[in-house]
Amino acid sequence: MSLENAKVLSTEPLLDDDSRWIKLVKLTYQDANKVTRTWESAERRTRPPNGEIDGVGVVAILDKETGPELLVQRQYRAPIDMVSVEVPAGLVDAGETAEQAAIRELREETGYVGVPSLTSPVMFNDPGFCNTNLRMVHVTIDMSLPENQNPKPDLQDDEFIEVFSVPLGDLWEQCKQWERDGCAIDARVANLAEGILLARHFKL
């Protein structure tokens, strides 16, 4: 397997009846001056009934003797036709809490088992474009546990994910290196890196 083999072969319009995951909608709204306006938006079809979020992102920290490391992964993303560096993430199933979804996705995508320690407020990925939202769940991974010695992911047939870790202190510079290497950087990874950089700069 090589992620570099993946590429977009063709593009074509997607009819609403053929769409499983998203739909496009035209919104009519009133602005702050009571002027009626319209907006184009994308919406997920997969949010569980009565659910508050579409998915979760996982800030998985490996507790190593040499210092904390962030678990990240590389996978090809067809919408941008690039290999992307991301944190583990996925959609929430019906009846799941954000924390339960995070632990499940972490195990499926990376093989690691962890314990949730912190959950973010609901976050919106791109509110000028779509209604997709998520919670970030921080998970600590105890590297002394037997199940974390040789973790094996449980990937679906269409998932091709490379898992690795990066020292938290090196994350900003590593993001710049990934960009030089031609990778896309998921905003959640970049935001974590920038947060660490700001904390250092302002000595927070």
Side-chain angles (χ1 to χ4, degrees):
M1 180 196 78
S2 173
L3 295 179
E4 282 64 33
N5 290 335
K7 61 183 178 181
V8 170
L9 300 177
S10 66
T11 62
E12 61 184 278
L14 177 64
L15 299 177
D16 187 68
D17 289 344
D18 296 330
S19 174
R20 294 176 54 202
W21 306 101
I22 60 172
K23 63 179 178 179
L24 299 179
V25 295
K26 179 180 178 180
L27 306 173
T28 301
Y29 72 101
Q30 178 178 286
D31 72 10
N33 290 325
K34 297 186 177 181
V35 175
T36 299
R37 301 183 184 276
T38 61
W39 198 270
E40 296 175 359
S41 175
E43 295 181 358
R44 279 196 179 274
R45 297 182 185 270
T46 54
R47 185 178 299 176
N50 303 317
E52 65 167 356
I53 55 173
D54 296 301
V56 292
V58 186
V59 183
I61 304 299
L62 301 181
D63 186 16
K64 292 191 173 183
E65 293 182 0
T66 53
E69 296 190 7
L70 177 69
L71 198 64
V72 290
Q73 51 196 42
R74 294 172 73 246
Q75 62 179 314
Y76 173 77
R77 291 299 193 181
I80 56 175
D81 196 23
M82 295 177 71
V83 172
S84 177
V85 179
E86 310 170 356
V87 294
L91 299 177
V92 174
D93 290 340
E96 278 189 322
T97 66
E99 294 79 12
Q100 289 168 338
I103 295 305
R104 174 181 54 75
E105 288 290 346
L106 178 68
R107 187 158 199 166
E108 288 175 0
E109 293 189 351
T110 73
Y112 282 101
V113 175
V115 178
S117 59
L118 179 72
T119 301
S120 78
V122 176
M123 301 166 60
F124 291 83
N125 299 352
D126 192 349
F129 168 66
C130 64
N131 72 338
T132 299
N133 63 8
L134 78 159
R135 289 187 186 273
M136 296 295 290
V137 180
H138 294 223
V139 175
T140 299
I141 297 174
D142 185 348
M143 296 301 292
S144 69
L145 295 178
E147 53 265 45
N148 290 329
Q149 298 305 306
N150 187 27
K152 291 181 172 56
D154 183 20
L155 299 177
Q156 299 176 20
D157 291 344
D158 60 350
E159 288 183 312
F160 304 92
I161 298 174
E162 296 176 353
V163 179
F164 57 104
S165 62
V166 179
L168 277 177
D170 298 341
L171 189 56
W172 177 261
E173 290 301 323
Q174 190 60 63
C175 282
K176 294 197 292 185
Q177 183 59 53
W178 288 325
E179 183 180 43
R180 288 191 292 268
D181 293 341
C183 289
I185 304 166
D186 185 277
R188 288 162 286 192
V189 174
N191 288 343
L192 284 169
E194 191 168 7
I196 293 169
L197 192 71
L198 287 170
R200 279 182 183 157
H201 179 76
F202 290 104
K203 299 179 172 59
L204 299 178

